[in-house]
Amino acid sequence: VKTIGVLTSGGDAPGMNAAIRAVVRTAINKGLKVKGIMRGYAGLLEEEIVDMESTSVSDIINRGGTILYTARCKEFTTAEGQQKGADICRKHGIDGMVVIGGDGSFRGAGKLSALGINTIGLPGTIDLDIACTDYTIGFDTAVNTAMEAIDKIRDTSTSHERCSIVEVMGRNAGYIALWCGIGNGAEDILLPERYDGNEQALINRIIDNRRRGKKHNIIINAEGIGHSGSMAKRIEAATGIETRATILGHMQRGGTPTCKDRVYASIMGAKAAELLAVGKSNRLVAYKHGEFVDFDIQEALNMTKDIPEEQYEIAKILIR
Ligand code: F6P
């Protein structure tokens, strides 16, 4: 491999810039050329490709978002789109690629590998929903952002003796909700992986909490369950307790990355460039059992994972 491309794809995540910086600088250190692909696979198909030097990634480690921009690209899910992408890579002399994104982006990365472009994936998503890894770039910043916001909601919720439903992101996964539930000391945590839809039981717990003298009820609701607004109305009607819903939304994707996200993203970015430099392809960099490792992309995509039961059991005791 002589020239590598780097792109960010899917939802952005704080720490992506640190990963890009590490890819660029490590690759240059190994004697490789680097090109930045703008707007993910969509930019690849539009040939939005720029040369990157060491200084192209100066002053970005502390910035949220992604300097390469990102997009979700339908065309790249088709065989024609993937072939066109591989041809464009060859046209620009790109024989290696680092794809920073989530599962959808990795399916595309696997296809690029099959078409002869050595490709390495890096897990970049706030959702932590990539099965092969215990860490994804952006999760740490997102849960800290959400935690701080929920602390603020708690203040006003207590003052008004209200019930507050706070909806956090995570798509179909409940990791952000679980971490905020524990970290914010919530009264209830609703996870798509566990919630049985028994709203009456939830209402009973709220009433019971009030009887035991609690001044507020913070309920962390995962995006995968959703319907926070209508849930709040039903809870207020059933309990007589003023209830408000707050959907934290895209603020969870922004902001300056935490130290952990900067450091882990840097290590993962460096590892991706190192793998390409030694001729590896079709690998996903991951953090598993306390070590940075890499997996075959297809094997990684076939893995499954679930909310750690122990953490959920602990949460259930602590929220009472
Ligand atoms: O995957 C990251 C994420 O923020 C999810 O938590 C959420 O479901 C989705 O992206 C939102 O996507 P969009 O930015 O397209 O609204």
Side-chain angles (χ1 to χ4, degrees), residues 6 49 115 120 208 234 256:
V6 55
I49 300 171
L115 292 167
I120 306 291
D208 185 51
R234 288 192 299 272
T256 184

Side-chain angles (χ1 to χ4, degrees), residues 72 125-127 169-171 223 250 253:
R72 296 192 169 97
T125 168
I126 64 164
D127 301 337
M169 274 187 168
R171 205 176 291 273
E223 176 187 19
H250 287 83
R253 287 237 296 266

Side-chain angles (χ1 to χ4, degrees), residues 2-286:
K2 291 207 169 59
T3 302
I4 70 166
V6 55
L7 63 81
T8 48
S9 166
D12 63 347
M16 279 183 164
N17 282 330
I20 295 165
R21 173 176 172 272
V23 169
V24 171
R25 294 200 170 159
T26 308
I28 290 172
N29 176 266
K30 305 257 168 229
L32 306 176
K33 286 204 168 111
V34 189
K35 297 191 185 225
I37 320 288
M38 310 303 285
R39 297 181 180 79
Y41 294 119
L44 175 64
L45 297 181
E46 299 291 327
E47 297 189 51
E48 292 182 58
I49 300 171
V50 296
D51 290 331
M52 295 192 89
E53 314 295 339
S54 187
T55 51
S56 315
V57 289
S58 297
D59 262 340
I60 65 166
I61 194 162
N62 55 327
R63 280 163 56 189
T66 158
I67 59 160
L68 294 175
Y69 298 88
T70 185
R72 296 192 169 97
C73 177
K74 269 228 172 87
E75 192 184 349
F76 203 77
T77 60
T78 67
E80 299 76 46
Q82 290 150 5
Q83 184 62 55
K84 185 176 162 192
D87 292 343
I88 290 170
C89 284
R90 269 186 274 274
K91 178 179 161 191
H92 288 263
I94 296 171
D95 44 9
M97 182 72 89
V98 178
V99 172
I100 308 170
D103 277 350
S105 314
F106 298 147
R107 273 185 275 280
K111 300 292 181 194
L112 266 186
S113 294
L115 292 167
I117 309 298
N118 285 7
T119 304
I120 306 291
L122 289 186
T125 168
I126 64 164
D127 301 337
L128 195 66
D129 61 347
I130 297 173
C132 70
T133 186
D134 300 334
Y135 164 83
T136 60
I137 296 166
F139 174 75
D140 191 60
T141 306
V143 285
N144 276 286
T145 301
M147 181 190 75
E148 284 174 16
I150 296 163
D151 279 346
K152 293 181 169 86
I153 293 170
R154 174 199 276 259
D155 290 344
T156 171
S157 198
T158 306
S159 305
H160 288 263
E161 298 174 71
R162 278 175 175 160
C163 175
S164 291
I165 301 180
V166 188
E167 187 172 312
V168 295
M169 274 187 168
R171 205 176 291 273
N172 299 317
Y175 297 96
I176 298 177
L178 177 62
W179 274 61
C180 289
I182 297 174
N184 286 104
E187 276 67 38
D188 243 296
I189 312 174
L190 309 181
L191 308 179
E193 297 88 343
R194 295 291 184 278
Y195 184 54
D196 59 6
N198 187 348
E199 205 164 280
Q200 190 54 50
L202 176 66
I203 288 165
N204 293 345
R205 286 196 293 272
I206 295 168
I207 294 168
D208 185 51
N209 278 340
R210 288 297 158 127
R211 278 205 198 104
R212 292 191 297 123
K214 286 222 177 194
K215 293 291 181 207
H216 63 238
N217 265 83
I218 305 287
I219 300 166
I220 309 294
N221 186 30
E223 176 187 19
I225 295 170
H227 303 291
S228 298
S230 53
M231 201 185 275
K233 285 201 181 106
R234 288 192 299 272
I235 289 172
E236 182 164 314
T239 63
I241 300 166
E242 271 193 321
T243 304
R244 296 286 188 268
T246 307
I247 298 173
L248 294 185
H250 287 83
M251 67 175 293
Q252 296 161 96
R253 287 237 296 266
T256 184
T258 59
C259 187
K260 179 172 179 176
D261 274 331
R262 296 180 199 194
V263 173
Y264 279 35
S266 297
I267 294 168
M268 286 181 151
K271 198 166 162 60
E274 281 163 11
L275 287 169
L276 285 175
V278 297
K280 292 277 173 66
S281 180
N282 201 42
R283 310 292 296 173
L284 263 193
V285 177

